Amino acid sequence: MSTDQGVVYLVGAGPGDPGLFTRKGEELLARAEVVVYDHLASPRLLDLAPPEALRICAGKSIGHCTLSQSEINETLVEHARAGKRVVRLKGGDPFVFGRGGEEAEHLRAAGIRFEVVPGVTAGVGVTAYAGIPITHRDSASAVAFITGHNGPNAEGGRLDWQALAQFPGTLVIYMGVTRLEAICHTLVKHGKPDSTPAALIESGTLPGQRTVAGTLATLPALVKEAGLGPPALFVVGDVVHRRPSLQWFEDLPLFGQRILITRPQDSARTSAKVLERLGAEVLVAPTVEIRPLDDFSELDRTIARLAEFQWLVFTSVNGVQAFFDRIEALDLDLRAVGHMKFAAIGPATAEALRRYYLRADVVPESFRSEALAEALAERVRGTRVLLARATRGRVVLKEELLKVADVEQIAVYQNVDADRLPESVMARLVDGSIDWITLTSSAITGRLHEVLGPELRERIGRTIKLASLSPVTTETASKLGWSVAAEASQYTWDGLVEAIVQASAINEKRRP
């Protein structure tokens, strides 16, 4: 038995932004067999677990996957005793108002080995994203983390509110939004000036983050007017005054934008990071999956006679990876293609070649099959060309090159249509809380159209904007009755992101 079987890892998921997740947490999720997660943990983190891992929602918030704490404890013990690697994914940090200590004690009493992986707690992460430093040399040299769950008037409360009112630093109050007025009143009653700066931060570190700042006297009314609610963090102290000069998250170019990526899972993970760095919330729902071939015999026979070809042409990053994965599987190395010249449809594909220490001899200025055919026409005249591609796709490249060269086309991987979109994504589409959908190929566009019902199809391109990677993809969307709000000028993922940024900036200027 592996040494990490029958173990529970209490892992902090951070305050919401999946980019704040720790490297150790990511490593453990990648090997998890069971994931028991809080509803506040980012859904993007669940994508890091193996597809076959059992996922159990254990949130205790009203209306969210209600498992009692004792049920959570027993669930962890049950799966660990079955020899499973269990990740208990907890919002924020496991030991900061997360009952991680209780769960660890229960595991110890049951004889189950556990490890704790700290996470970024909301009191540090959320405040930083709101531009409020919890300590500052000129404002506060101490900070207190407080739970407002029971409120200041609860019987048997363990907090000394009089002492907290006199605390010479920043108060960071978790779970206090529903008792905000009572907490403000109690602090003032015990001596905290009603002019003390205070702020409430809703959905901190997420694109829906909203911050209202005022004083202990004015904040409850301001929060009520703005309609803020949980999850929220309440901050009291002079450091709140620093927010106007230190806020940064809300200034990111895609802050507040909710974007659905429909690329295959492996590509989507890298793509999502680019959007998240710009402030967007990202959902991933592949409409097409990239998979190995079911039968490698034809590819293997072609690889065995690579000496017959002078050119090897790739039309995707996936094609490069799949081809050289097979080269390695056959116990060959780069000498098998040492005599060949290479063409790549775009810079991303060329970069994939460079990872194998190969340089593309041809990369067209416009990253389309037509442009690649034009760039290659004179170079490949009279030669033998091998096109490495997916099991399906456009045939224009082969047809154009056949006019000047002897061309063979070989499938090195397959595209498989997704049966449906995840239920969580469908719910977001239905409730209108997605702003953009990215389209990176005609196949992806067509499949998205197929998996959506008639009502949602009508909303795509209208209330939900589309961003297209290329004119070819845009044309496919148009034939399906969809209008595209942003099209990449350079047919790369970075070009598509830039198109969304520019379109979002224009829309922002048009707002009254």
Side-chain angles (χ1 to χ4, degrees), residues 359-472:
R359 291 188 177 275
D361 297 279
V362 173
V363 182
E365 293 185 5
S366 178
F367 317 134
R368 303 173 60 191
S369 294
E370 292 85 349
L372 181 56
E374 183 178 353
L376 278 170
E378 290 305 315
R379 300 284 299 273
V380 303
R381 185 176 296 275
T383 68
R384 298 201 66 190
V385 179
L386 179 62
L387 304 182
R389 50 164 294 165
T391 48
R392 64 186 185 190
R394 301 176 70 216
V395 296
V396 62
L397 180 59
K398 180 181 180 182
E399 291 177 346
E400 289 299 311
L401 292 182
L402 276 172
K403 298 174 182 179
V404 296
D406 182 3
V407 181
E408 287 189 32
Q409 186 168 283
I410 185 65
V412 294
Y413 67 96
Q414 61 176 323
N415 291 327
V416 179
D417 290 333
D419 294 332
R420 62 182 68 86
L421 300 184
E423 290 183 11
S424 58
V425 170
M426 288 296 294
R428 295 287 296 273
L429 288 169
V430 169
D431 68 22
S433 61
I434 290 177
D435 300 300
W436 290 90
I437 298 177
T438 65
L439 306 175
T440 53
S441 74
S442 293
I444 284 173
T445 304
R447 188 57 186 164
L448 177 65
H449 189 271
E450 290 177 11
V451 297
L452 295 176
E455 184 177 340
L456 279 177
R457 287 177 192 161
E458 287 296 315
R459 293 167 60 183
I460 301 299
R462 295 174 185 170
T463 58
I464 301 172
K465 299 181 287 293
L466 294 175
S468 167
L469 186 73
S470 71
V472 172

Side-chain angles (χ1 to χ4, degrees), residues 84-374:
K84 303 295 185 182
R85 287 186 294 273
V86 182
V87 169
R88 172 70 172 107
L89 194 60
K90 302 180 68 65
D93 179 274
F95 280 4
V96 180
F97 305 129
R99 296 194 173 181
E102 297 174 39
E103 292 174 7
E105 288 171 342
H106 187 84
L107 292 168
R108 176 58 54 82
I112 302 296
R113 189 163 72 86
F114 65 86
E115 295 182 19
V116 180
V117 180
V120 177
T121 185
V124 175
V126 168
T127 50
Y129 272 52
I132 299 174
I134 53 176
T135 64
H136 190 284
R137 185 170 61 175
D138 297 329
S139 302
S141 298
V143 59
F145 292 154
I146 304 154
T147 174
H149 182 67
N150 293 321
N153 301 319
E155 292 186 12
R158 300 178 182 178
L159 293 175
D160 185 339
W161 287 97
Q162 183 171 356
L164 290 173
Q166 304 302 318
F167 183 73
T170 306
L171 303 179
V172 179
I173 304 170
Y174 294 61
M175 300 169 285
V177 61
T178 57
R179 298 169 180 82
L180 179 65
E181 187 171 3
I183 293 173
C184 290
H185 175 77
T186 300
L187 289 172
V188 172
K189 183 179 72 173
H190 287 300
K192 183 77 77 176
D194 63 3
S195 60
T196 303
L200 192 81
I201 311 158
E202 176 190 83
S203 299
T205 79
L206 296 172
Q209 175 178 302
R210 295 194 295 164
T211 304
V212 170
T215 65
L216 286 176
T218 64
L219 189 64
L222 292 172
V223 167
K224 184 176 182 180
E225 181 182 354
L228 269 62
L233 195 75
F234 177 25
V235 186
V236 180
D238 289 340
V239 290
V240 173
H241 276 322
R242 305 283 169 178
R243 172 173 156 75
S245 61
L246 296 181
Q247 69 178 50
W248 59 274
F249 185 47
E250 295 98 327
D251 297 335
L252 292 175
L254 291 181
F255 173 75
Q257 296 295 304
R258 298 153 301 183
I259 303 175
L260 175 63
I261 297 178
T262 53
R263 306 182 88 180
Q265 191 70 251
D266 288 346
S267 302
R269 288 176 182 173
T270 303
S271 303
K273 292 178 181 178
V274 177
L275 292 168
E276 287 167 346
R277 284 197 295 269
L278 297 175
E281 177 188 4
V282 178
L283 297 89
V284 175
T287 59
V288 173
E289 284 294 342
I290 303 300
R291 296 182 187 173
L293 297 171
D294 293 328
D295 183 355
F296 287 99
S297 58
E298 185 178 357
L299 175 57
D300 291 350
R301 286 193 295 269
T302 302
I303 289 175
R305 52 188 188 85
L306 285 176
E308 299 175 11
F309 301 93
Q310 288 80 52
W311 281 86
L312 182 54
V313 180
F314 292 100
T315 57
S316 71
V317 172
N318 292 315
V320 174
Q321 183 173 332
F323 180 84
F324 286 103
D325 282 350
R326 196 59 192 166
I327 289 286
E328 183 175 358
L330 294 172
D331 203 24
L332 300 173
D333 57 29
L334 291 181
R335 286 173 292 184
V337 295
H339 64 290
M340 306 178 82
K341 292 186 176 181
F342 303 92
I345 198 166
T349 306
E351 177 60 32
L353 275 170
R354 279 194 287 271
R355 289 197 286 270
Y356 294 95
Y357 305 100
L358 299 169
R359 291 188 177 275
D361 297 279
V362 173
V363 182
E365 293 185 5
S366 178
F367 317 134
R368 303 173 60 191
S369 294
E370 292 85 349
L372 181 56
E374 183 178 353

